[in-house]
Amino acid sequence: MTVGELIDRDIFQVIVQGDDLSRQVTGIFCCDLLSVAMGRAPSDSAWVTVMGNVNTIAVSTLADVACVILAEGAQADEMCLARAKQQGVTLLATEEPVFEAALKIHGLIHD
């Protein structure tokens, strides 16, 4: 599944549409501790978190994730939004808990 196909499913709200919608989403990573995400988030994964700050975008580019999904109604602050736009990072959002959001993505990837 690509990031664009994930967006097209209309499951998550698009906060920032990144530069590479053809990028493959090959897995899911759930973590709110940025230092752990930096070292363990798999490349090309959809990262589900509640951390909506500029450091999340920095870690997402370092870890080379396909997209970031803010769960549980978490909001991205202004610096986060600006950096996501600048870096071309796709940022999505949902009111769903982290686990439920991850399950939805898992189901789509493994259909």
Side-chain angles (χ1 to χ4, degrees):
M1 159 166 285
T2 66
V3 172
E5 290 169 338
L6 181 61
I7 289 171
D8 290 344
R9 294 295 179 118
D10 207 28
I11 297 170
F12 304 111
Q13 178 187 3
V14 178
I15 305 300
V16 175
Q17 184 170 303
D19 294 341
D20 189 1
L21 300 183
S22 64
R23 183 154 184 195
Q24 289 293 317
V25 178
T26 59
I28 306 118
F29 183 75
C30 302
C31 184
D32 297 323
L33 191 57
L34 297 178
S35 61
V36 171
M38 189 168 26
R40 295 189 182 171
S43 179
D44 298 322
S45 63
W47 178 18
V48 185
T49 183
V50 297
M51 299 296 294
N53 63 49
V54 69
N55 294 327
T56 301
I57 302 305
V59 170
S60 76
T61 59
L62 286 171
D64 198 29
V65 299
C67 62
V68 176
I69 299 151
L70 297 178
E72 301 185 25
Q75 301 288 313
D77 64 32
E78 291 302 316
M79 288 180 65
C80 178
L81 294 172
R83 185 60 53 90
K85 290 174 187 172
Q86 178 187 34
Q87 298 291 322
V89 173
T90 297
L91 184 61
L92 307 173
T94 183
E95 294 292 323
E96 296 279 339
V98 170
F99 181 77
E100 297 297 326
L103 273 180
K104 287 183 178 183
I105 299 165
H106 178 79
L108 293 172
I109 291 172
H110 298 287
D111 267 353

